Amino acid sequence: MINAILVFNNHGKPRLVRFYQHLAEEVQQQIIRETFHLVLKRDDHICNFLECGSLFGGSDYKLIYRHYATLYFVFCVDSSESELGILDLIQVFVETLDKCFENVCELDLIFHMDKVHHILQEVVIGGMVLETNMNEIVAQVEAQSKLEKAEGGLSAAPSRAVSAVKNINLPEIPRNINIGDINIKVPNLSQFM
Amino acid sequence: MPAVSKGDGMRGLAVFISDIRNCKSKEAEIKRINKELANIRSKFKGDKALDGYSKKKYVCKLLFIFLLGHDIDFGHMEAVNLLSSNRYTEKQIGYLFISVLVNSNSELIRLINNAIKNDLASRNPTFMGLALHCIANVGSREMAEAFAGEIPKILVAGDTMDSVKQSAALCLLRLYRTSPDLVPMGDWTSRVVHLLNDQHLGVVTAATSLITTLAQKNPEEFKTSVSLAVSRLSRIVTSASTDLQDYTYYFVPAPWLSVKLLRLLQCYPPPEDPAVRGRLTECLETILNKAQEPPKSKKVQHSNAKNAVLFEAISLIIHHDSEPNLLVRACNQLGQFLQHRETNLRYLALESMCTLASSEFSHEAVKTHIETVINALKTERDVSVRQRAVDLLYAMCDRSNAQQIVAEMLNYLETADYSIREEIVLKVAILAEKYAVDYTWYVDTILNLIRIAGDYVSEEVWYRVIQIVINRDDVQGYAAKTVFEALQAPACHENLVKVGGYILGEFGNLIAGDPRSSPLIQFNLLHSKFHLCSVPTRALLLSTYIKFVNLFPEIKTTIQDVLRSDSQLKNADVELQQRAVEYLRLSTIASTDILATVLEEMPPFPERESSILAKLKKKKGPGTVTDLEEIKKERSSDMNGSAEPTSVNASAVSTPSPSADLLGLGAAPLANSAPPPSSSGSLLVDVFSDSASAVAPLAPGSDDNFARFVCKNNGVLFENQLLQIGLKSEFRQNLVISSLISFLNHFLCLNLQTKPVDPTVDGGAQVQQVVNIECVSDFMEAPILNIQFSPKQEVQNIFKAKHPMDAEITKAKIIGFGSALLEEVDPNPANFVGAGIIHTKSTQIGCLLRLEPNLQAQKWLVTMDVMTENLAIDLVFLQKFSRTIGPFVAFQVANQDFDHKHSLKIFMSSSCSQVGRLAKC
C-alpha cells in the first residue's frame, strides 16, 4: 500500500501532498520535512529506494523517489509493493501530468493544484493503484475537463440566465446529451459577463 | 490536445498564490494567509449565497493554505454542502476537500455518508466514481459500517461500468484493511475471483490487489484464484508485446498486472494440480529467459518494467522453494544483477538474495557471491545499498565463512554510516557468538567491536561477552589477558572499562602470575580510568576492587586506601558512597574465609536465547531476522523422518559402573536401563520418565511433530540431544477376526502387542521395537504410549589429547574443575581421580571422575559417575546442570575439538534419569 505521495521542489516547498493514512497536521509537516532532508542529501544516479526508518511508525516502509528537474516525487510504500513497479508508477504519473499540462512544470502544479489532485485520483485511490494505463488515465481526465467546461460556462453566466436554462428542466435526459446541448448555448450567454 | 487548458484557472486563486510567492518573509506570508482566511470565513458566513464558482475558488484557496502547512479549521460544512450539488465541478471539489482534510472521526461523517449514499445510488458512473474514491481515501470505520455491504454488490453486478468496478474493488480493499470484521465474506467472493478473467485489464489489476489482500486472511475462500491467476499470467507472459496495446508499457506487456499476479501467487504454496504447476513453471522460465534477451528499448523504463516482473518472479520462486532448477537460475540471475551498472538493480538483487540465502537449495549458490557482496560493502556509494550488503552477508554467514564475514563487517564498521552502526554491531556480535569455534576469536571480535564502535555497543552486547566468558572457563585466562592489554590504550571506550573491570575482577588472578600484569599493575591500570568514567561504571569498578581484595590479599591495603579516600567515602552519589563504605567495612572486618565466600566467582549464567538476537529482532521487526539454522533444522528432521523410520539413537551409554572401586561411595541403586516400550495398553510416549508424577513440559516442537503424523506414516516422533524416536506405521486390514483379543482387553478400544527387544541401546545405535496395535472399536481421545528410558549414570569417553599429557597440569585442571583431587585411591598411580559434590538448592549430588591416560596413543579415557537417585531433571535443568559441572566440558574442550552438543550428551546420559514427555496417538 502507498502511505503517502509527496511532491516538493529542490528547496523543500511542498507542491503536492497526499496522505492515505490519517495523521495530524504537524506530523504530516514533519514527515515532509524529514523526507526532504533524506532525499536532498542523496546525489542523483544512486539508488531510488531508501528506508525511512520509523518515519511512518513502522520499519516496513520505504521511500521510492524520482527527481525531475526542480521537483522530487516521493512515494512512501510498505513491503507489499514492488519497488520497480512504483518507480514506473511515478513515471506514469509524471508522463500523464506532462500530457495533461503540455510540458508540465512546477508552476502548473502550483496554480492547478486541484487538477493535479484530480489526475492523481485517477492513478491512486486510498493508497492503491487504480490505473496504470496512461491513455486510460488521460481519457478520464479529458472527460472530466469536458464536464467542467460545460459547467464552467454556465457558472460564469449570470444567475438569471442560469435559472432560465435550469427551468428548461431536462433532468431526465442523460447527462452527456445534456452537456452537448448547453455547450452550444454558452457563447451566447457569455457576453453577459 | 492538453486535457487541462491553461486559460480556465481561477483568477482570484492565481492572484492569491502569486501574492504568497512574492512574500519576502515568513511573517509576510503568514499575514497574507491570515488575511485570506478571514476573507474566506466572512464569505462563508455572509448572508449572500455563494455560487459554485466562488465556493470552488475558496475551497481551492483553503487547500493551498493547507499545503503550505497551516491547519484549516473551517470550511468543512461548506465542502459537505458541495457534495449534494448536482454539478460535477462542485461535487468534485467538495470530495477533494473532504478526502484531503477530513479526518475519519469527524462529526460530519454522517452527512458525508448521506451524500455518498445518494451518489452511489445515482447510477451516474462519474458520481459513483467520485463517491467510491472518497470512501477509499477516507476509509473510516463509520464508512465501512455504512457501505461494506453495498460495495461488493456494485463490484460484481453485471451492468457496472469497468471504471466503477475498478474503483469499487479498491474501495472494498481499503475498507477491509481498516475494518476487516465489517466486510463479510459471501457469495460475492467467488464472483470476485472470476474478475481475474475480465476483459478489461484495469479491472483485473484492481481485482488482483483485492484478492491478494483477502486471500492472505482467508486462503481457503480464494483458493480457486491460483489457477485463474496462472492462466492469466501465462497469457500475458507469452503475448507479443503489442497484443495488450495500452497496457503495454515500454514494450513490456502489462508489467503492473504481472507483478500483482505474481504477488497473489505468493499467498499460496506451489499449485498441486500438475497442469497448473507446469504452466506456472513455464511462465517463470519464460520470464527468466526474457531477462537474457537483448532489450527492446534503451529507455530505463523498459528495463525497469521488465525487471519489476523478473524480481517478482524470483520472489515467487523463492517463496515456493521447491524447484531447485528454478532456484539456481534465480540465484544466477541475481548474481548478474549484483554487478549491474544500475544501482537500483544491485539494491534489489542484494535484497532478494537475502531471502534466497535461507533456502537450503540455494544457500551454497548464494555463498559463491561472497566476494562481490564484500566488494559492494566497500565500494557502493549509496548507504541503502551498503546496508543491503550487510544484511546479505549476515544471511549467508555460516560456519565456513563466519571469520571472513565478521572481519569484513568489522572493517566496514570503521567507516559505516552512523545510522546503521548499531545494527552492524548487533549482527557482528551475534555471528561471532553463533559461529565461534574458538572462543578466543569471539573475545577478540567483541573487544574489537568496542574499540571501533564503542558508542554503538549496547548493554546487551557487553553483558553477553561477560556471560560467555563466565560460562566457559577455557577462555577466561585469555579474556583476562586480552582486556588487560586493551585497557593499556591511552583512550579506551567506557564499555571496554566495564568489560575489563568485570573480567579482571573475576579472573584477574589467572594472569597475575605474569609480573607485567601483577595485581598492583592491574589495579592501577583500572583505577587510572576510574575518574573518567560515569557513575555506573565507577560503581562496577568499586565491585572489582573488593573482588581484588579477595583475589589478591597483597594489595588489600592499597585498595582500602582508595576506598577510604574522601572522594569515595564522601562521594555525592549515594550509590558510590554506599558501595565505598560497605566494601571498606567488609574488607576490614571479614575473615579471609568469609571474604572468599562472599566474593566467590560468579556462578555460570543460565543459557537462554541471546539477548542480542532478541534486540535485533525487536529492531528489525519479527520475521526479518531469518535464522537459517532453524529452517535447516526443521527440514532435516523432516528428511530424517523418511530416511530412518524407527531409530532410537542414544548417546554413549557405557559399560557397567566401576565406581565401587573408586571410593566405595556406593553405586547408585537406580536400576540400569529399564526396558524400552512397555506394553501398558495405553499409547503415551513418555520419554525418560521413571515416575509418573515427575513430568516435564512437552519438548519444544513435539506438537508440530505430532501434527505431521496426522497425514504421514513415517517420521521422527521425538528428538533431543540424547534420544531420537522415529515411527514407521503400516496399516493393514484384517479379514479374519483375531482370536488374540483377550477378554480382559475387550472393553479397550485398542489391542496392543509388543515383541521383546534388547533392553539396552548402545550409543549411536538403533533398536527397533515392533508394536502391533489392533483397533477394536472407535475412540475419541488420542491414545498415549509410554516409552520409558533411563540412561546409565556412568559414562565413559575416550578422546585424543590436544595438550601435552602433563600430570601436574592435569591435576591443576581437575582442581580447577571444582572437584577435589584424590591421590592414592586408584590402584593405578598414573590415573587421576577426582570427587566433588554438586550443591543444588534441593539436593546434593555426588560426582566422581577418573581420568586414565594412555600415553602411547596420546588419549584419555574419562569415566564420570554421578550419584543421583530419583532426581527428576527436565531438559532445561539439565542444561544448567551440565554447566554447573561446566569445567568438565571445558576440560574436554581443551583436549578435543569443541562440540557443545556432544559434551552435553555425555552429561545427560551420565547425570540421572530425566523426564520428558510427549503425547502422541
Side-chain angles (χ1 to χ4, degrees):
Chain A
M1 177 180 166
I2 301 167
N3 276 61
I5 292 172
L6 311 173
V7 179
F8 39 71
N9 69 8
N10 292 347
H11 306 290
K13 280 256 181 229
R15 293 307 179 207
L16 171 69
V17 173
R18 203 62 223 263
F19 283 87
Y20 294 103
Q21 79 186 82
H22 297 289
L23 294 167
E25 161 73 19
E26 318 81 78
V27 182
Q28 292 190 7
Q29 289 300 322
Q30 172 161 358
I31 288 176
I32 296 169
R33 271 196 307 274
E34 286 184 19
T35 309
F36 171 66
H37 286 300
L38 278 177
V39 295
L40 182 73
K41 64 180 178 204
R42 299 169 61 83
D43 20 327
D44 288 347
H45 311 302
I46 61 172
C47 177
N48 295 85
F49 323 121
L50 76 157
E51 258 110 279
C52 52
S54 54
L55 204 54
F56 281 81
S59 55
D60 195 24
Y61 300 109
K62 256 185 202 157
L63 298 177
I64 295 169
Y65 73 99
R66 262 182 193 276
H67 190 197
Y68 294 90
T70 64
L71 292 175
Y72 284 96
F73 285 72
V74 186
F75 282 40
C76 171
V77 301
D78 68 12
S79 62
S80 69
E81 301 290 347
S82 147
E83 287 95 343
L84 288 173
I86 293 289
L87 213 50
D88 283 343
L89 188 71
I90 298 179
Q91 178 72 14
V92 166
F93 180 47
V94 173
E95 283 187 34
T96 311
L97 287 177
D98 201 50
K99 275 194 182 167
C100 294
F101 285 106
E102 264 184 354
N103 290 327
V104 66
C105 68
E106 192 181 340
L107 283 178
D108 291 319
L109 268 65
I110 299 170
F111 285 100
H112 300 279
M113 207 180 36
D114 51 332
K115 287 280 180 303
V116 176
H117 268 290
H118 296 320
I119 294 167
L120 178 61
Q121 190 101 300
E122 297 302 328
V123 184
V124 177
I125 63 167
M128 276 110 13
V129 179
L130 178 65
E131 185 56 76
T132 53
N133 172 358
M134 217 176 317
N135 294 339
E136 184 92 21
I137 300 167
V138 173
Q140 291 287 345
V141 174
E142 272 171 1
Q144 281 180 20
S145 313
K146 250 186 208 158
L147 280 171
E148 271 169 48
K149 253 183 220 148
E151 288 181 351
L154 258 188
S155 68
S159 51
R160 195 160 45 88
V162 175
S163 58
V165 176
K166 270 187 178 166
N167 285 340
I168 298 171
N169 197 7
L170 297 168
E172 305 311 317
I173 299 174
R175 199 169 180 82
N176 28 6
I177 299 176
N178 204 353
I179 290 160
D181 246 315
I182 294 166
N183 244 344
I184 300 164
K185 289 176 185 159
V186 172
N188 300 332
L189 292 170
S190 60
Q191 59 193 331
F192 289 104
M193 272 178 80
Chain B
M1 189 200 92
V4 179
S5 57
K6 294 192 176 182
D8 66 351
M10 289 160 278
R11 201 166 158 271
L13 177 65
V15 169
F16 170 62
I17 293 173
S18 303
D19 280 0
I20 296 283
R21 285 165 58 81
N22 291 333
C23 283
K24 293 277 183 290
S25 65
K26 192 81 194 158
E27 288 73 29
E29 185 186 305
I30 292 172
K31 215 174 145 193
R32 178 70 184 89
I33 286 170
N34 285 336
K35 188 181 152 203
E36 193 62 38
L37 285 173
N39 171 37
I40 300 171
R41 215 185 288 258
S42 73
K43 284 285 191 320
F44 279 163
K45 286 216 176 119
D47 305 328
K48 231 175 76 189
L50 293 173
D51 58 20
Y53 169 79
S54 318
K55 277 191 204 158
K56 184 178 161 181
K57 182 177 74 184
Y58 294 134
V59 168
C60 278
K61 281 183 181 175
L62 288 180
L63 282 173
F64 185 77
I65 294 170
F66 180 73
L67 182 66
L68 292 176
H70 299 265
D71 214 356
I72 303 294
D73 55 2
F74 69 100
H76 300 73
M77 202 56 211
E78 283 70 21
V80 173
N81 287 337
L82 284 174
L83 296 186
S84 41
S85 161
N86 271 330
R87 298 161 157 281
Y88 172 70
T89 33
E90 292 177 13
K91 214 184 250 303
Q92 189 191 32
I93 204 81
Y95 273 125
L96 176 60
F97 184 92
I98 283 159
S99 304
V100 175
L101 278 170
V102 168
N103 61 42
S104 54
N105 49 22
S106 163
E107 291 157 18
L108 293 169
I109 211 88
R110 275 203 10 253
L111 292 171
I112 297 169
N113 277 358
N114 256 336
I116 290 175
K117 199 165 276 170
N118 290 336
D119 282 335
L120 285 183
S122 73
R123 318 293 301 156
N124 174 332
T126 318
F127 287 3
M128 284 172 89
L130 284 176
L132 289 169
H133 291 185
C134 181
I135 300 174
N137 286 331
V138 177
S140 69
R141 203 168 163 81
E142 289 83 355
M143 284 192 173
E145 276 163 6
F147 303 111
E150 179 68 17
I151 292 167
K153 288 181 202 151
I154 297 175
L155 178 57
V156 296
D159 57 346
T160 308
M161 277 183 58
D162 287 338
S163 65
V164 176
K165 267 190 202 166
Q166 267 171 283
S167 306
L170 297 184
C171 195
L172 190 58
L173 169 52
R174 178 64 194 258
L175 294 185
Y176 185 77
R177 281 217 178 113
T178 46
S179 332
D181 52 314
L182 294 178
V183 180
M185 298 297 119
D187 296 343
W188 58 272
T189 51
S190 62
R191 300 180 64 183
V192 165
V193 172
H194 282 278
L195 288 179
L196 290 177
N197 274 334
D198 202 280
Q199 296 269 316
H200 191 277
L201 287 195
V203 174
V204 183
T205 310
T208 312
S209 300
L210 173 65
I211 294 168
T212 305
T213 304
L214 293 175
Q216 278 160 3
K217 293 268 171 62
N218 322 281
E220 270 309 304
E221 199 101 17
F222 293 91
K223 225 176 169 177
T224 45
S225 64
V226 173
S227 59
L228 291 178
V230 169
S231 62
R232 189 93 223 191
L233 182 68
S234 152
R235 268 178 282 159
I236 295 171
V237 170
T238 53
S239 70
S241 60
T242 48
D243 282 2
L244 298 163
Q245 290 170 356
D246 286 352
Y247 282 88
T248 298
Y249 177 84
Y250 289 92
F251 304 102
V252 183
W256 187 268
L257 176 55
S258 309
V259 165
K260 288 279 162 192
L261 288 169
L262 288 162
R263 281 271 156 137
L264 168 59
L265 291 171
Q266 285 172 53
C267 299
Y268 289 95
E272 278 157 24
D273 180 351
V276 178
R277 195 178 174 139
R279 205 164 175 195
L280 177 59
T281 307
E282 225 168 80
C283 282
L284 295 171
E285 276 169 354
T286 313
I287 295 171
L288 286 169
N289 290 341
K290 278 188 181 172
Q292 301 302 329
E293 288 170 10
K296 294 199 177 86
S297 153
K298 287 221 164 67
K299 284 244 165 83
V300 65
Q301 282 82 2
H302 170 70
S303 75
N304 263 358
K306 198 165 135 181
N307 292 326
V309 178
L310 179 59
F311 271 107
E312 219 51 64
I314 291 175
S315 296
L316 182 63
I317 292 170
I318 298 172
H319 170 79
H320 282 170
D321 197 15
S322 61
E323 305 260 358
N325 176 32
L326 285 177
L327 279 164
V328 169
R329 283 193 68 182
C331 188
N332 292 341
Q333 182 61 53
L334 293 178
Q336 281 182 25
F337 281 146
L338 282 184
Q339 316 215 27
H340 202 280
R341 57 190 169 77
E342 274 272 328
T343 319
N344 288 339
L345 295 181
R346 295 198 302 273
Y347 173 94
L348 293 173
L350 288 166
E351 192 177 55
S352 300
M353 266 211 179
C354 248
T355 42
L356 203 55
S358 52
S359 160
E360 197 182 355
F361 298 117
S362 47
H363 183 74
E364 288 303 316
V366 170
K367 269 167 63 186
T368 59
H369 298 290
I370 184 167
E371 295 302 333
T372 319
V373 182
I374 287 172
N375 197 38
L377 198 60
K378 286 177 179 159
T379 56
E380 283 292 347
R381 285 196 300 147
D382 186 347
V383 53
S384 322
V385 184
R386 288 196 300 266
Q387 186 159 6
R388 287 288 83 86
V390 172
D391 287 349
L392 179 53
L393 282 180
Y394 180 73
M396 66 161 68
C397 191
D398 62 17
R399 209 169 280 279
S400 71
N401 55 20
Q403 300 230 357
Q404 185 189 8
I405 285 179
V406 165
E408 290 298 343
M409 281 185 164
L410 277 173
N411 259 343
Y412 173 54
L413 193 56
E414 307 220 23
T415 53
D417 309 81
Y418 297 109
S419 55
I420 60 173
R421 282 195 181 185
E422 189 182 354
E423 202 186 308
I424 299 179
V425 166
L426 292 175
K427 286 184 165 158
V428 169
I430 289 167
L431 293 179
E433 181 188 337
K434 197 165 169 187
Y435 299 115
V437 178
D438 172 3
Y439 276 82
T440 58
W441 172 70
Y442 170 76
V443 171
D444 285 343
T445 305
I446 301 295
L447 290 182
N448 260 332
L449 265 187
I450 296 175
R451 184 179 55 76
I452 296 168
D455 286 341
Y456 299 90
V457 173
S458 53
E459 282 184 342
E460 284 87 350
V461 174
W462 74 263
Y463 285 176
R464 189 72 187 162
V465 68
I466 285 172
Q467 280 179 13
I468 285 176
V469 169
I470 285 183
N471 287 10
R472 311 196 163 275
D473 59 0
D474 55 331
V475 80
Q476 287 161 357
Y478 181 80
K481 182 166 160 282
T482 320
V483 289
F484 176 77
E485 279 161 10
L487 282 169
Q488 311 255 345
C492 51
H493 195 272
E494 195 167 329
N495 278 335
L496 181 65
V497 179
K498 289 178 188 165
V499 175
Y502 201 108
I503 288 180
L504 290 181
E506 295 294 322
F507 310 113
N509 54 331
L510 299 178
I511 55 167
D514 188 331
R516 283 165 301 176
S517 52
S518 71
L520 190 61
I521 294 176
Q522 284 185 39
F523 172 73
N524 285 337
L525 180 61
L526 281 178
H527 200 55
S528 69
K529 316 281 179 193
F530 187 89
H531 301 282
L532 301 168
C533 292
S534 64
V535 169
T537 310
R538 290 189 198 188
L540 188 152
L541 285 178
L542 286 179
S543 298
T544 303
Y545 297 168
I546 189 69
K547 288 228 159 192
F548 275 175
V549 169
N550 175 42
L551 290 179
F552 312 125
E554 63 266 39
I555 57 166
K556 183 172 166 179
T557 48
T558 319
I559 291 171
Q560 281 176 328
D561 285 345
V562 168
L563 292 176
R564 202 178 284 124
S565 71
D566 279 358
S567 60
Q568 307 300 347
L569 275 189
K570 297 185 179 167
N571 197 296
D573 186 89
V574 169
E575 176 67 31
L576 292 182
Q577 194 187 70
Q578 187 175 4
R579 284 192 190 210
V581 171
E582 287 178 4
Y583 289 161
L584 180 61
R585 229 22 228 149
L586 183 67
S587 70
T588 332
I589 59 167
S591 70
T592 333
D593 281 355
I594 293 177
L595 266 185
T597 315
V598 174
L599 302 171
E600 209 184 353
E601 210 175 90
M602 290 297 283
F605 289 90
E607 203 56 44
R608 51 169 178 251
E609 184 191 27
S610 160
S611 50
I612 311 173
L613 199 59
K615 175 154 181 161
L616 185 66
K617 279 181 183 158
K618 201 169 126 200
K619 214 174 146 60
K620 298 284 280 181
T624 48
V625 182
T626 45
D627 197 329
L628 180 62
E629 296 297 308
E630 277 166 31
I631 296 166
K632 270 190 177 163
K633 224 186 283 163
E634 207 173 286
R635 281 254 170 72
S636 62
S637 72
D638 238 326
M639 286 187 290
N640 285 348
S642 44
E644 30 182 319
T646 310
S647 63
V648 178
N649 297 339
S651 67
V653 179
S654 72
T655 49
S657 159
S659 63
D661 67 18
L662 273 181
L663 256 188
L665 285 178
L670 198 86
N672 278 348
S673 294
S678 59
S679 48
S680 54
S682 64
L683 271 173
L684 172 76
V685 178
D686 196 344
V687 182
F688 302 148
S689 165
D690 61 347
S691 67
S693 57
V695 176
L698 276 179
S702 57
D703 273 340
D704 299 344
N705 287 346
F706 177 83
R708 274 192 203 128
F709 284 90
V710 175
C711 312
K712 274 173 74 176
N713 291 338
N714 306 330
V716 174
L717 189 59
F718 174 83
E719 184 172 32
N720 67 8
Q721 285 98 332
L722 188 54
L723 183 74
Q724 188 190 53
I725 300 178
L727 182 75
K728 182 175 183 177
S729 27
E730 284 176 28
F731 294 92
R732 292 186 193 129
Q733 203 173 0
N734 247 343
L735 295 176
V736 188
I737 296 167
S738 169
S739 58
L740 284 168
I741 305 168
S742 74
F743 281 106
L744 255 178
N745 272 343
H746 84 274
F747 54 89
L748 292 172
C749 305
L750 293 170
N751 181 28
L752 199 126
Q753 297 162 356
T754 54
K755 284 187 184 156
V757 291
D758 186 355
T760 51
V761 184
D762 287 332
Q766 261 190 31
V767 168
Q768 277 198 21
Q769 165 80 64
V770 180
V771 184
N772 282 319
I773 302 169
E774 187 179 49
C775 190
V776 182
S777 62
D778 58 342
F779 52 91
M780 298 298 290
E781 295 275 23
I784 295 166
L785 173 72
N786 268 312
I787 295 177
Q788 291 186 335
F789 172 83
S790 63
K792 288 221 178 143
Q793 292 172 294
E794 189 209 42
V795 60
Q796 286 192 326
N797 193 30
I798 299 173
F799 57 86
K800 205 164 163 50
K802 279 253 171 107
H803 295 267
M805 298 173 79
D806 180 272
E808 285 317 304
I809 292 176
T810 310
K811 280 181 189 168
K813 278 179 179 166
I814 292 176
I815 293 169
F817 163 26
S819 66
L821 185 68
L822 310 170
E823 297 194 349
E824 296 170 15
V825 282
D826 197 278
N828 182 349
N831 290 354
F832 303 93
V833 176
I837 296 175
I838 299 159
H839 295 270
T840 67
K841 197 175 172 188
S842 56
T843 181
Q844 299 187 342
I845 305 162
C847 177
L848 299 171
L849 137 92
R850 180 174 59 188
L851 266 175
E852 300 172 50
N854 180 340
L855 290 168
Q856 271 150 357
Q858 283 288 301
K859 281 184 177 165
W860 292 98
L861 169 68
V862 57
T863 310
M864 292 278 302
D865 194 1
V866 184
M867 317 289 152
T868 56
E869 209 176 332
N870 283 335
L871 182 67
I873 299 180
D874 67 26
L875 298 182
V876 179
F877 177 78
L878 214 97
Q879 284 183 359
K880 290 179 195 162
F881 175 73
S882 71
R883 207 146 292 109
T884 326
I885 41 179
F888 175 69
V889 181
F891 182 70
Q892 201 184 3
V893 171
N895 292 285
Q896 222 182 9
D897 269 339
F898 180 67
D899 180 349
H900 185 68
K901 219 164 135 189
H902 183 63
S903 51
L904 201 65
K905 273 183 193 169
I906 295 171
F907 276 105
M908 290 176 74
S909 51
S910 70
S911 58
C912 53
S913 57
Q914 311 99 24
V915 181
R917 196 197 66 168
L918 183 76
K920 163 65 190 126
C921 75

